[in-house]
Structure formats: structure tokens, C-alpha cells
């Protein structure tokens, strides 16, 4: 028997669960600026998440998918992706979307059941959230194909969950990315749960990163609660893609600290102990501890920043709550570039019904 | 003695009943096990019947359908859940190309007694892709039954029938009324007939034809019209493929007028088949054109605007009124 | 000067024309490159435009559709080929959930100017799954145009229109007539209008409505009926979503009678929508019930029996005759 | 960086391209019986293939997918699978189907456009050919799921091509087979081409066997032109599955010596040199050479067997050609267990039209 192929999957981390250094830091992390910047963004994401859940509980916003536990992933991607790169996100990347320019109020309007949350010009060519699981992986490879055809040095970055790796779309995307050496990065936010289905039931492989092997692309695991490891891994993958060397799958090990969405109750299917243990590994506190230990952040700064963040968020929420309803004719006016004649009558009826006295006037 | 239960509880009760009485019934899907399904349709079944009969699958709808075909070919009766109708499309190659054809292709050597359960429709302020009504895509497929209950009792009896049916059934559950209007349902194991329309109200002035959550709006409209002395016959189509046109034609022969109500977009939906058949086979009995009250031919909007999209009882009343005025 | 060419050559000509005039047009699919497509629709294009514009994909239809959505969002105009209609189902999640919605979902920020080409229909003695006609599944989808040519000239002009259209188009090619009836087609780059029915023959006694390969049977029937002094107006629907009902209604208002012909199974097919609309909006002009001549509500059989399944001109004549006898 | 996973893919072969031993033979191959038996079956398959192509060329059968080059794969599977196992084949496994009991004449009727080719009771619980690529992989996992649920020691075996490995169905099937440790074997007949698309364009990975890695199942490459290597590999995989240890992916390296189907013309897209080189590696000749070298087979036996095979085939063809047409009402009568009332009228019309004077009478 000949060995015709060998592969290894590596796991990288820099910060221990308790926020101490595990190995020599990369150069950029030996200075405070970048790390403090990451920390600030992560605090913002976390506080915003709390706020949105409060809005949901008080009926001011719809079903919401919390980002709790994925702050490091979003923050690093938001920092390292270039403006001209294209993000093809899933429904847990709103912190990342904001870092790429989407105003908070408009982001909130998406969760408020309003398509304008996808339409801000600030989103440039980024995709809106993908709700049908894993479909975005293929859109990202399509975007990357366009880059490759036009010989542009841009990268498509797509994010999905651990559950998504079981769906054909994800694997078909990896496969074509490998066959065509596309400039695309697949980030798997492995938060250990797909609603109630644990990672162990999702897939029999030891790592999800090894799904890259069957497609002939780079694959690696990284501590997704560790901004430093995330930064290194994403940076390398972007460089690789930008140089025309092809795709990377990064499995970022994290934990879904929240319920799946506000419509879910995770106590039904997972133990408190597991959740508690996960809180001991969470990304924000970990980085805070490290910054404290380096003398790069203190209580005063913390309080000041938390206050500032509150105000930023309040502004965003105010903006959201003050948005006038969108014109109902939007229901038809963006379906086609030009409304087909055959639909004119239905459009008229929609408008008529919504007027005072109409059947849909509320 | 029978308790008042909701439709979702009736679904659960039917599953439980059939699993108890038939070892070959196996449940599979995303989150159907420990979690009991995102709508709780399968709650308690894992505890009662064990992990070999209630299977939490990896997240892959194509796989859920394909696996069910394979299981069914072995004489199991898989009852698979697709979490929302918006996620059913990856199952289509297997439902159309295999489930609906296995018996035909093998001249009866292999069969496919599977059920694909799926909640559908809008009105619960759900996220995008959680509110579609795409029954028309399946109703067009020869060999595939499409069944939609509209009350707890019918959900119980029809689901039993679907599971016992030796051929594949798409069982669509109108989730907007999952928890509305509890009613007594006896756990008597009695299946209701498939391939039959159900006449929910008899009437003489006009026939209202509908299914799913729109039955609620239709009945409300009928109630209000009654106050104006308009007598509506209300027909719940229930099985959208194959359709029991005879019941509808007989009703329209009596009333001479018909309004069809569904939530799906209008064009090329099941309402078109019913309207066409009435006019083709009952032209001479029609005293007014058939009308359809339906969703618009547009994308189901995000929840802020969903009420503008969905037909309601006021729309039905308006159309009934103009149909009655026609002469 | 224009040569007589077949429909498949016209498809190739339109692709070549548009690739030459618009750099953003990119072709992708299984075997479209070196092989020039299993029906030769893309023959020569790889040589002419290079491997960056004619992409042989891995074997994965979901991927072909999803990739096209991504490419289109970047302003490319992907023209993707699905080898046979029987293999189109894996594309549906992307066509319905994304292609048809991208503009709507982003309020015009991102768009999806893609074309999905697919040969469809029976009659060439092909293996299983190579002969289906499932246009109804797409015609029901808001935001998705469904276009079917029935002659070389219309294939050329409509395909140009489909590629130039800023929204997604499913372009279905009736492969039975790929190589029948060559006609002169000038490579003038002129697109034909979408969203329009085409009246192929004017007539006064009855309106025949059809599309795709059934146009051939319909025209043959019209010719034979003419010999019996029956004057048929023949309408090629061409765009099945959105349907230009006005042209059909105007014709039926004139003739008072209508037969609809399609190859797909009858129930919940596009014929139902047309029949329903005629009766709903033109009831008073109807001198006889509309009839449908269609495939049966059964699985498309293996090729030995396919001729029993498919409607032919004799069926059309029979139905026209009885429609004319109605009074 | 920690290495968290390592994998190797092995390739096994026993017979060289020129039919000499590459390593010590397994015990069963040190005696002639099994190998001669394999050889005879392969000759039958090959001669039958020629015959069917002749039938196609003369209009006596429809579009046909040749099995040329996959004789070893089918022959070994036909031998080692137990009757109670279930085969979930693709459209190039008719030799295998016959070895499992399908009478030749009925097999031919499938290619003659007749559903009765799928309906022989001799097929027991085996699936009919899958035409939509890769869908069969999921059916096989479903069959295996049934075995597992009922604690039966049976194995589901499915076969597909190299192209099929790119389709989501295939990868979703591997994934669930790994997650649930199902008794299923995936045979990839890697014949280097998917119609006109070469293996190199299909996938960027070095082997297709490594697609198993992402699913956490066994994966290996084997010389698919070498019955001995095939036998060893399939035997081991069957044992593994039957013992409840889970699934195996076997990538059998072969070559599609024919056009894709009789509707294809491979000269359009592949070189004569490549084809010629492939003929030097083909399975039948190779085994013949080995048998000759061992003194287990000679020209006399060859001639006798070729003649016998001709007769067997002629009988099968005669049976096929003599089959009366199936009743047209089959179009409706097997659609549902019981014909729904709503279809009765259509069934009547079908029968009426087919009668003398009817619109579909030929
Ligand atoms: C195709 C599809 N199937 C099912 C769903 C319903 N659903 C929404 S989220 C989810 C779980 C996703 O888990 P994972 O991929 O791990 O991402 P996470 O939410 O954990 O970040 C499911 C099943 C869906 N949105 N799309
Ligand atoms: C889903 C699907 N897409 C496309 C086709 C058309 N088609 C038939 S065979 C084939 C190539 C298959 O190649 P491979 O899997 O390598 O098997 P091989 O024929 O080489 O044995 C294609 C594209 C199909 N049958 N099913
Ligand atoms: Mg997850
Ligand atoms: Mg191949």
C-alpha cells in the first residue's frame, strides 16, 4: 500500500482562556493600539447585543440572532478585510457589517423586519444576510469567480456556522474554490451548536477544518475566542487569496453563549455546566484581562468606554425607531428593474387596500 | 374523554399514536429530537421512543429527503420534518425525481411511504424565508400527495392518513394557526380520508374554496356575510394533489358562484387549477366569473409589511360582494 | 444575407453575438467548454472567448446556480446551462430564494442579471429524467422570468433579450425542435420583446394558445383545420412569467373559443393560469368552455411510451372540433 | 500551532499494468478458482457491452452508457456483496446488477426505454439505476439507516462516478454516514472523465478518496483495473461495515474506455494518446495475462468461454427483443398504490387514444 496523500490540521492560539500569553506574540500585538482597538469594538458589539435583546423583549424588534460569543471573529474580519473586498455574511455578522460601514440604525431595521436593512449604499457590494443556511458560501465563490475573471486582487469572505458545513452548498463551494483556486475565505464560526444539534452529531470528523482537505484547499483551526490568533489566521488567508494562491477554510472555535435566537430556549437542550464553562473562555473578558495585565487598559478607561458605547448605541436605536415606514409600493417596485405591465393592477390594488378604508389599512 | 388541543398538539398526538402502533414509523429532521422541534411538534417523542426512532439529522435538507427515500424503500415509514417551507427547495430533486417515482419506476417493486412535514405561511412575524407558501410547486408533481389541514382534528386525522398512506405525502402545516382555536380531539387512531375536499359550511349563495390558514379568514368572512344574509358554502380543499374537483364542481353547480382564497402568489398557483376546472367543466352553471383572493405576485416581504401581502377576511368579503353583484 | 439555421444554432449565434458585444457575458455549466455543450449550444465559444469566459464547472447544479448569483451580483452576466430540465431541481433554492429576490431584498443595491438556459421536453427518445417539462414550478415564482422560444428566429432574439434583461431569466429550450425547421436568421443583434405573447397566426374561429415544442403540433393542427375551413388564431405565450394575458384575452374576445396546449402534466400547470384568467376576465366572451390539451398527470414515461404521454396534433384537432361543436 | 489531526490516503494494487504481481498475493488469489471466476465474468461483461453498442447502432436499443473499463469494479462487487445487502447503483453498473440476479433480457429492456428493466423480483431490494447524479448516495445512506435502526448486519453499497463527487448529495451522504456510523460503502468509479470534464477540473484535491476525511469515515484509493486489489479493499470495507464500525469511501481508479454514452463523441475532447495509454492498463487483458502466466487459463479455454458467452448473450438479447410491449395503462397503474379517482378519466383517455382510430395509435 502506497501513501498517496498526507494531511495535517493545525490549531493556533495565542491567548490562554485566562488571558495569558501562550507563545511569543506577533509583532503587531506587542503594542497596545491594535488590541485596544479590537477590545473597544468587541465591547461595542457585546453591549449592542444586550440592547437588541432588550428591544426584542419589549416588542420593538423581531426575532433576533444574538452575536454573543462571536465578537472576536467579527471584529478581526471587520478590521482586516479591505473596503474593496466583499463580505458574504450570515445572520450572526451584524457587528462585522457595521464595521464595514452599515449604520447601526439600518442594521437594526433588518431585525425590525424591514428590507432597508440590506439596502444601505454603505454596504457597497457586500451581500445581505443569508438566511437559507450555507447558500452564501456559493455566492461568495461566485463573487470570487468574478474577481478572478477580471483579474482583480480582491477577496470574497463568507461566514457560516458549524451546522452549515453539513449542507451540500458549503461543500460544493469548497470544491469549486479548490478546483478553480478562487480568492475566497470560508470562516466557520464553530459555536458548537446548530440550534439544538451539538457539533458531535453534526459531523463525525475530528475537526471541521478538515473539510478543506477533500476540496484541496487550505484548512485550519483557530481559537475563535482569541483575537490574536484570529488576526494571524485571517491575515494569512487574505494574503494567500490576494496573491492568487486560492482559498482557505478557517474553523474558528467559539461558543454560542446565547440562545439560538430570541425564539429559542437553549436550556431545553444544553446543560448549564457547559454554558458556564464556555463563559470562562469567552473572548471579551479574555482580551480585557490580557490588556489589564499589560497595563494597556484600566477601569477608568473601561467605564468611560462603556458610557460612550451606551451613547453610540442609543443613537443607533433612536435612528432605528425614528425611521418612517417604507412606502408599501416597495413591495412591487424592486421586484424587477421595471414593473411588468401584468403587475400594474396588483400594485394599484396594494396601494388602494392600504389607504384609509382599504382592507389592509391598520 | 378528549381534551381541547391546538393544531400543533394534534400533530404531536398523531405522531405519538402512530409510533406507538407501528414500529416502522421513524421521525427525522433538524432539532426534532432533544429539542422536540422548533415548533414542538415532536416534543416528548425522543424520550418515549428512543434515539433510534427520533433522529436529529445534520443540517442538510437534500439529505433529509434522500435519506427518507432510502429508508422508505426498506419499508420504514419516515416522517421527516423540514423546519420551514422556505428551506424545502433542496428536497425537490429527491421528492420529484425519486419519492414520487419510486413505485412507478420499479413497477411497484420498491415504494416510498414517506411523509415530509413542513410548517408554511406567514403571519407570525418571522424572519425572511420563514413565511412562504409554495404548495403549487408540489401540487404539480404526479405521484406526490399534498395535504394541508386547517384544524386540530383534521391535523390529527389527516396526519394519521398521510403516515399510513403507502405513497409519499407532503404534509404542510399552516403555522399561523398552530396555536389558535383549540378543539377537542379524541386520540382514537382514526384516519381521515385523503384525496377529498371537506365541506366546512353548507351554503347556497356562493362557494368559498380555500385551505390552510386562509380557512380562518374564509370562515370569518362567511360569518360576517351571514349577518348580511349571504349564505356561503365553505370548502377546505385539504388535498391539493390530486384535487377532488367533484366536490367543488357540485357545490358551484348549486351556488353558481365561487371565490377561491389562498395565501400563495396568484399566478400559476393551485387556485388557478381550481378556477380553470370550474370554468372548463362547470361553465354553464356559473352565474358570475370565479374570482381569486390571493397573495400578490411578489416576494413575501419581511414581517413589517407582511400584513399588506396577505389576504384577509375583508378582502374576501369585498370579492364575494362583487361576485354576488355580477350579473 | 442570412443563412437558414436551426434553433440550436440560433442559440449559439445569440450567445456568440452577445459575448462579442458585452464583455460581462460569461458562460458556465457542465461540458459547455471543450465539448461545446451536450447539444452543441456553446460550440466554438471557448475557442473564441477563452477559458475565462466559458467555464466548465464541476458537476453540481446547486453550485452552478449559486455561483451565478454571486457572479451576477458583481455585474457579470452569467449565462449558465443546466444540461437537462430533469436536473434543474438542485438550482431551485438559489433561483427562488436568491436570484429572484436579490434586487428586492436589497432594494436595488444588488441585482441578478443572470440567465439559466435549459433544454426541456420529450420526444427525442432520451433516457429517464431527460424529458421533463416543469416550467410551472418556475412560472409561479415572483421575480423570475420564464421564457421559451419556439423557432430559430425567436430563439435568437429572445435569448439576446434574456441576457440583456437586468433580472434573472429562466430560458427553456424545447430540445425536440432544436434541429427541426431551419429558417433564415439575421445576426443583427436585435432583441425581441419579453413579457409579450406572439401571435403566430391570425384567425377568427378559435384561439390556440401554446409554447415550446407544442407550437409545432399546434401549427400542424391549425394547418389541417384550415383545410376544413376552420380559422385558428395561434398564440405563442413565450414569456410564462409574467404572462401577457391581454393578448390572449383580446384574441378570445374575438374568437370566443380557446384551446390551450402544453406538454407538461395538466394539474397546476401554466395552462391552468391561462384558462382561469380567460374565464375570470373574459367569461362573457366565451362561447364554449376553454379546454386544455396537455400531458397526463403522470410521470414522464421511459421513451418506449413517451409518445403515448405527449399531446399531438390529432389530440388538438379533436379538442378544437369538440370546442367548436359546443353550444 | 498544534497539530490536531493527521490523515493519510493509501493506494493499493496487486497486479501491475502488464499483469505481473506487485506484491505477495492474498491467500485466496494463490489459487485459480476465484480469479478465473472473476475473469469469466469480466469477459462476459465486456462482450455484452460490445453487443449492446451494436444494438444501439442498429436502432434496437436507446442511448446506452457503456461499462467498458469498469468490469473489475462490477465483478468484484457482484461477488462479495451478500444477497441481503442492498445495491444502490448508477447507470454504469449493469454487469453488477446481473451478477446480483437481474436477468440480462430485463436489464436490456431498461436501456430499451422500458421501466420493466427496474422491476424484476430478482432485484429484491436493490435500487434501480440513478440517473440524477449522486442522488443514489443518499438513498444508500437511507437504506443503511434502516439497517442500523433494525440492527441488521446488512450493508448498503452505492456506486458513482468521479463527477458525482462534486455534487452536494454525495458529500451530504458521506457526512451523515460518518455522523451516524452507517453500514454503507461508497464506491467511486473514478474513470477520469465526467462526460467531457476531466478529473483535474472536477476537484482540486490530490485524491477523491480524501473526501472521506471531512466526513470522518475511512477513505482509500485502489487500482480499479485490478480485481485483486478491488477484492481486498471491498472485502475489508464490507467487514468493517458489517461489524458496525461504519462507512468507507473507495476510490477505484479506472478509465472510461468508451464514449460517455452512445450519444457522445469523446474524440471531441480527449486525446487518442490518453485513450491508448488507458487501454494498456485495462482490467480484462491484465487479468488474462496474469492467469496465463500462472498457467490457470489458456487459449482453448478462452475460445470456449468466448463462444459460450456469445450464446448467453444471444439468449439475453433474444429474450429482450421478444418481450411484448408493456400495457400502456402501466403509465397510471403504478403511480400510486391505488389510482385516485381524479385520475380515472385521464387513464380512460390514454387507453382510448391508444386504440385503433385513437390519436396515439401508431
Ligand atoms: C436551509 C436551512 N435549513 C434550516 C434553517 C433553520 N435554521 C436556522 S439557523 C439553524 C442552525 C444553524 O446552525 P449553525 O450553522 O451552526 O449556525 P449558528 O446559528 O449556530 O451560528 C437552522 C437549522 C435555515 N435557516 N436554512
Ligand atoms: C444531476 C445531474 N446533472 C447532470 C447530469 C448529466 N450527466 C449525466 S452523466 C454526467 C457525467 C457523470 O460523470 P461521472 O460522475 O464521472 O460518471 P461517469 O459517467 O464518468 O461514470 C452528467 C453531467 C445528470 N445525469 N444528473
Ligand atoms: Mg453553530
Ligand atoms: Mg467519470
Amino acid at each position: 500500500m502506497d501513501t498517496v496523500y498526507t494531511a495535517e490540521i493545525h490549531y493556533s492560539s495565542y491567548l490562554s482562556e485566562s488571558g495569558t500569553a501562550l507563545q511569543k506574540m506577533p509583532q503587531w500585538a506587542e503594542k497596545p493600539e491594535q488590541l485596544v482597538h479590537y477590545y473597544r469594538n468587541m465591547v461595542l458589539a457585546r453591549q449592542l447585543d444586550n440592547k437588541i435583546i432588550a428591544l426584542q423583549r419589549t416588542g420593538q424588534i423581531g426575532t433576533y440572532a444574538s452575536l454573543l460569543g462571536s465578537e472576536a471573529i467579527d471584529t478581526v474580519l471587520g478590521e482586516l478585510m479591505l473596503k474593496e473586498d466583499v463580505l458574504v455574511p450570515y445572520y450572526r455578522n451584524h457587528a462585522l457589517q457595521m464595521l464595514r460601514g452599515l449604520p447601526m440604525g439600518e442594521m437594526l431595521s433588518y431585525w425590525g423586519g424591514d428590507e432597508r436593512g440590506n439596502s444601505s449604499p454603505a454596504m457597497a457590494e457586500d451581500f445581505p444576510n443569508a438566511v437559507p443556511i450555507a447558500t452564501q458560501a456559493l455566492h461568495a465563490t461566485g463573487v470570487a469567480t468574478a474577481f478572478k475573471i477580471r483579474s482583480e486582487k480582491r477577496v470574497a469572505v463568507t461566514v457560516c456556522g458549524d451546522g452549515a458545513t453539513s449542507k451540500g452548498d458549503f461543500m460544493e463551494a469548497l470544491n469549486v474554490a479548490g478546483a478553480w483556486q478562487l480568492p475566497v475565505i470560508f470562516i466557520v464560526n464553530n459555536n458548537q451548536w446548530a440550534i439544538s444539534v451539538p457539533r458531535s452529531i453534526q459531523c463525525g470528523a475530528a475537526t471541521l477544518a478538515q473539510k478543506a482537505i477533500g476540496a484541496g484547499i487550505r484548512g485550519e483551526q483557530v481559537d475563535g475566542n482569541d483575537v490574536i490568533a484570529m488576526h494571524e489566521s485571517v491575515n494569512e488567508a487574505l494574503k494567500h487569496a490576494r496573491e492568487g494562491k486560492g482559498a482557505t477554510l478557517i474553523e474558528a472555535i467559539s461558543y454560542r453563549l446565547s440562545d439560538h435566537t430570541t425564539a429559542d430556549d437553549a436550556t431545553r437542550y444544553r446543560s448549564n455546566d457547559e454554558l458556564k464553562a464556555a463563559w470562562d473562555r469567552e473572548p471579551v473578558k479574555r482580551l480585557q484581562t490580557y490588556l489589564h495585565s499589560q497595563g494597556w487598559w484600566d477601569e477608568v478607561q473601561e467605564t468611560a468606554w462603556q458610557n460612550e458605547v451606551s451613547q453610540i448605541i442609543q443613537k443607533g436605536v433612536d435612528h432605528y425607531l425614528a425611521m418612517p415606514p417604507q412606502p408599501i409600493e416597495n413591495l412591487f417596485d424592486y421586484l424587477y428593474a421595471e414593473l411588468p405591465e401584468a403587475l400594474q393592477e396588483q400594485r394599484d390594488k396594494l396601494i388602494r387596500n392600504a389607504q384609509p378604508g382599504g382592507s389592509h389599512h391598520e | 374523554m378528549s381534551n381541547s388541543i391546538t393544531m400543533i398538539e394534534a400533530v404531536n398526538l398523531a405522531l405519538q399514536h402512530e409510533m406507538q402502533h407501528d414500529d416502522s414509523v421513524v421521525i427525522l429532521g433538524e432539532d426534532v429530537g432533544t429539542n422536540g422541534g422548533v415548533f414542538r411538534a415532536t416534543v416528548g417523542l425522543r424520550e418515549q421512543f428512543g434515539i433510534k426512532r427520533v433522529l436529529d439529522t445534520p443540517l442538510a435538507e437534500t439529505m433529509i429527503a434522500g435519506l427518507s427515500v432510502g429508508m422508505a424503500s426498506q419499508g420504514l415509514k419516515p416522517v421527516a420534518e423540514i423546519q420551514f417551507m422556505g428551506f424545502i427547495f433542496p428536497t425537490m430533486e429527491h421528492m420529484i425525481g425519486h419519492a414520487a417515482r419510486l413505485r412507478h419506476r420499479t413497477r411497484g417493486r420498491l415504494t416510498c411511504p414517506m411523509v415530509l412535514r413542513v410548517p408554511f405561511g406567514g403571519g407570525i412575524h418571522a424572519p425572511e424565508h420563514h413565511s412562504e407558501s409554495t404548495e403549487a410547486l408540489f401540487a404539480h408533481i404526479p405521484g406526490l400527495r399534498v395535504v394541508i389541514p386547517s384544524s386540530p382534528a383534521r391535523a390529527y386525522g389527516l396526519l394519521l392518513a398521510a403516515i399510513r398512506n403507502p405513497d409519499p405525502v407532503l404534509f404542510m402545516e399552516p403555522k399561523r394557526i398552530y396555536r389558535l382555536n383549540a378543539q377537542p380531539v379524541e386520540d382514537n387512531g382514526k384516519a381521515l380520508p385523503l384525496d377529498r375536499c371537506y365541506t366546512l359550511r353548507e351554503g347556497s349563495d356562493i362557494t368559498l374554496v380555500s385551505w390552510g390558514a386562509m380557512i380562518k379568514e374564509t370562515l370569518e368572512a362567511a360569518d360576517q356575510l351571514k349577518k348580511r344574509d349571504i349564505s356561503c358554502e365553505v370548502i377546505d380543499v385539504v388535498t391539493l394533489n390530486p384535487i377532488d374537483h367533484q366536490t367543488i364542481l357540485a357545490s358551484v353547480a348549486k351556488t353558481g358562484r365561487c371565490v377561491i382564497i389562498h395565501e400563495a402568489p396568484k399566478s400559476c398557483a393551485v387556485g388557478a387549477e381550481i378556477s380553470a376546472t370550474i370554468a372548463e367543466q362547470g361553465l354553464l352553471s356559473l352565474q358570475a366569473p370565479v374570482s381569486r383572493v390571493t397573495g400578490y405576485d411578489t416576494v413575501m416581504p419581511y414581517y413589517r409589511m407582511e400584513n399588506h401581502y396577505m389576504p384577509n377576511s375583508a378582502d374576501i368579503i369585498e370579492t364575494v360582494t362583487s361576485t354576488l353583484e355580477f350579473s
Side-chain angles (χ1 to χ4, degrees), chain A, chain B:
Chain A
M1 286 229 267
D2 301 335
T3 300
V4 287
Y5 184 75
T6 58
E8 291 188 347
I9 297 293
H10 300 128
Y11 172 83
S12 66
S13 57
Y14 285 83
L15 285 178
S16 76
E17 296 188 5
S18 52
T20 58
L22 288 169
Q23 56 167 304
K24 184 165 159 33
M25 288 290 163
Q27 229 181 331
W28 64 268
E30 286 176 347
K31 295 164 293 177
E33 289 73 18
Q34 183 67 60
L35 284 177
V36 168
H37 178 67
Y38 277 150
Y39 180 72
R40 285 167 172 264
N41 280 339
M42 286 164 69
V43 166
L44 171 58
R46 168 109 7 135
Q47 210 188 104
L48 174 59
D49 191 71
N50 278 324
K51 181 67 184 185
I52 304 178
I53 288 176
L55 288 172
Q56 195 280 332
R57 299 280 182 241
T58 53
Q60 295 172 90
I61 216 163
T63 301
Y64 167 69
S66 166
L67 58 77
L68 209 63
S70 57
E71 294 87 351
I73 297 169
D74 271 28
T75 302
V76 168
L77 288 171
E79 185 71 13
L80 297 180
M81 284 179 67
L82 300 181
K83 194 67 210 164
E84 67 259 32
D85 294 336
V86 165
L87 172 68
V88 189
Y90 82 136
Y91 48 79
R92 255 183 240 293
N93 293 127
H94 24 295
L96 171 51
Q97 290 178 310
M98 290 188 331
L99 289 169
R100 287 186 58 74
L102 177 62
M104 189 186 296
E106 299 188 38
M107 181 277 285
L108 290 171
S109 76
Y110 170 84
W111 297 100
D114 187 328
E115 288 82 353
R116 285 175 300 179
N118 300 324
S119 66
S120 170
M123 296 175 83
E125 296 166 23
D126 285 0
F127 262 66
N129 297 342
V131 172
I133 298 289
T135 52
Q136 72 272 26
L138 285 169
H139 305 158
T141 52
V143 169
T145 302
F147 295 162
K148 180 146 187 161
I149 288 173
R150 296 190 301 233
S151 306
E152 295 171 348
K153 293 211 168 312
R154 300 162 70 188
V155 182
V157 177
T158 187
V159 193
C160 68
D162 43 312
T165 65
S166 296
K167 191 155 174 274
D169 298 60
F170 179 76
M171 297 179 273
E172 290 186 0
L174 297 190
N175 191 67
V176 70
W180 293 356
Q181 228 171 303
L182 295 175
V184 55
I185 302 179
F186 303 95
I187 310 281
V188 176
N189 175 359
N190 177 359
N191 63 12
Q192 312 304 328
W193 292 91
I195 308 187
S196 73
V197 178
R199 158 66 183 85
S200 57
I201 290 191
Q202 199 61 242
C203 177
T207 70
L208 296 177
Q210 71 203 59
K211 302 225 171 203
I213 294 172
I217 66 172
R218 297 174 76 229
E220 60 191 31
Q221 260 192 351
V222 55
D223 186 340
N225 289 323
D226 173 349
V227 277
I228 303 173
M230 276 302 299
H231 180 110
E232 288 296 290
S233 179
V234 169
N235 215 17
E236 183 62 27
L238 281 168
K239 190 162 156 267
H240 195 80
R242 223 178 291 284
E243 286 171 356
K245 295 185 189 156
T248 302
L249 163 57
I250 298 175
E251 178 189 3
I253 307 288
S254 70
Y255 193 89
R256 198 194 75 211
L257 295 166
S258 61
D259 292 335
H260 171 68
T261 65
T262 51
D264 177 48
D265 172 8
T267 62
R268 221 189 306 259
Y269 52 79
R270 70 179 180 188
S271 79
N272 246 324
D273 288 353
E274 179 183 309
L275 182 60
K276 235 177 117 248
W279 273 105
D280 290 340
R281 296 191 300 271
E282 66 97 351
V284 185
K285 182 74 191 162
R286 184 189 301 200
L287 180 55
Q288 191 197 47
T289 308
Y290 184 69
L291 293 179
H292 276 297
S293 75
Q294 300 295 305
W296 293 344
W297 191 254
D298 61 24
E299 281 308 320
V300 179
Q301 284 166 301
E302 178 74 19
T303 310
W305 179 240
Q306 292 278 3
N307 288 338
E308 199 176 329
V309 159
S310 298
Q311 285 167 24
I312 294 170
I313 291 172
Q314 195 52 53
K315 255 201 196 142
V317 172
D318 290 346
H319 170 193
Y320 160 62
L321 294 173
M323 278 172 84
Q326 61 179 321
I328 45 164
E329 51 278 26
N330 276 8
L331 238 177
F332 281 100
D333 290 351
Y334 291 103
L335 191 57
Y336 301 92
E338 245 181 279
L339 191 71
E341 256 177 65
L343 293 185
Q344 191 61 52
E345 206 178 306
Q346 291 193 13
R347 182 178 183 275
D348 294 345
K349 185 170 152 207
L350 170 77
I351 295 170
R352 209 166 51 240
N353 285 348
Q355 275 161 0
S359 59
H360 290 251
H361 186 66
E362 351 222 294
Chain B
M1 260 305 303
S2 49
N3 291 324
S4 265
I5 59 174
T6 61
M7 181 185 291
I8 188 76
E9 290 165 337
V11 166
N12 184 264
L13 191 63
L15 291 172
Q16 194 203 13
H17 182 99
E18 212 50 15
M19 292 188 80
Q20 201 140 34
H21 291 81
D22 183 349
D23 277 353
S24 62
V25 178
V26 174
I27 285 176
L28 70 158
E30 295 158 12
D31 305 291
V32 297
T34 322
N35 196 33
V38 291
F39 286 104
R40 312 276 155 261
T42 55
V43 81
L45 301 177
R46 162 72 71 92
E47 291 73 7
Q48 197 174 345
F49 300 103
I51 56 164
K52 281 194 157 188
R53 293 186 62 200
V54 184
L55 311 173
D56 270 328
T57 63
L59 203 171
E61 282 76 12
T62 304
M63 184 270 284
I64 290 172
L67 207 74
S68 298
V69 170
M71 291 166 72
S73 78
Q74 278 292 308
L76 292 181
K77 294 185 184 152
V79 182
E81 177 176 302
I82 298 297
Q83 226 158 55
F84 289 89
M85 191 86 192
F87 310 132
I88 204 169
F89 307 119
T91 70
M92 294 188 77
E93 177 161 52
H94 285 273
M95 295 310 292
I96 297 175
H98 296 297
R101 296 188 188 200
L102 198 54
R103 176 188 296 280
H104 191 264
R105 172 184 289 154
T106 63
R107 295 297 183 245
R109 184 174 61 83
L110 298 178
T111 61
C112 194
M114 67 177 280
V115 176
L116 197 68
R117 291 182 42 248
V118 60
F120 81 104
I124 64 161
H125 271 34
E128 197 191 3
H129 290 286
H130 287 66
S131 301
E132 2 281 293
S133 302
T134 39
E135 63 270 24
L137 274 50
F138 296 91
H140 180 55
I141 304 305
L144 193 62
R145 277 188 172 80
V146 179
V147 176
I148 302 181
S150 67
S151 75
R154 281 190 295 282
Y156 176 84
L158 291 167
L159 184 50
L160 287 183
I163 300 174
R164 292 174 194 170
N165 191 280
D167 294 307
V169 177
L170 177 69
F171 194 80
M172 295 176 54
E173 300 167 7
K175 62 176 179 294
R176 179 149 76 111
I177 56 172
Y178 258 161
R179 298 191 159 80
L180 281 181
N181 304 336
Q183 67 176 180
V185 176
E186 210 188 321
D187 185 15
N188 56 11
K190 282 204 189 124
L192 287 169
L194 301 178
D195 305 354
R196 282 277 163 277
C197 289
Y198 286 64
T199 302
L200 305 184
R201 298 273 172 90
E202 305 213 345
S204 51
D205 294 329
I206 191 164
T207 304
L208 307 185
V209 177
S210 188
W211 54 89
M214 281 296 131
I215 288 290
K216 175 182 165 291
E217 301 294 329
T218 302
L219 289 174
E220 279 172 22
D223 285 345
Q224 291 184 44
L225 288 161
K226 194 169 189 181
K227 291 186 198 141
R228 284 161 46 189
D229 264 345
I230 297 167
S231 161
C232 301
E233 183 138 311
V234 177
I235 295 180
D236 184 351
V237 182
V238 174
T239 300
L240 300 190
N241 187 32
I243 297 174
D244 165 21
H245 287 295
Q246 292 317 315
T247 299
I248 299 169
L249 287 168
S251 174
V252 177
K254 181 174 72 174
T255 63
R257 300 176 200 255
C258 181
V259 173
I260 300 161
I261 303 102
H262 60 69
E263 192 175 318
K266 182 177 190 183
S267 283
C268 298
V270 179
E273 179 60 39
I274 295 171
S275 174
T277 303
I278 293 171
E280 286 164 10
Q281 296 185 30
L283 187 68
L284 298 184
S285 61
L286 278 180
Q287 291 161 39
V290 176
S291 276
R292 289 179 272 166
V293 176
T294 71
Y296 294 106
D297 284 320
T298 186
V299 168
M300 181 74 184
Y302 289 11
Y303 75 78
R304 272 295 166 90
M305 297 224 290
E306 70 174 338
N307 286 339
H308 287 292
Y309 170 89
M310 297 212 304
N312 62 23
S313 58
D315 296 321
I316 300 169
I317 291 170
E318 192 181 308
T319 304
V320 167
T321 307
S322 60
T323 301
L324 289 169
E325 280 163 4
F326 184 93
S327 59

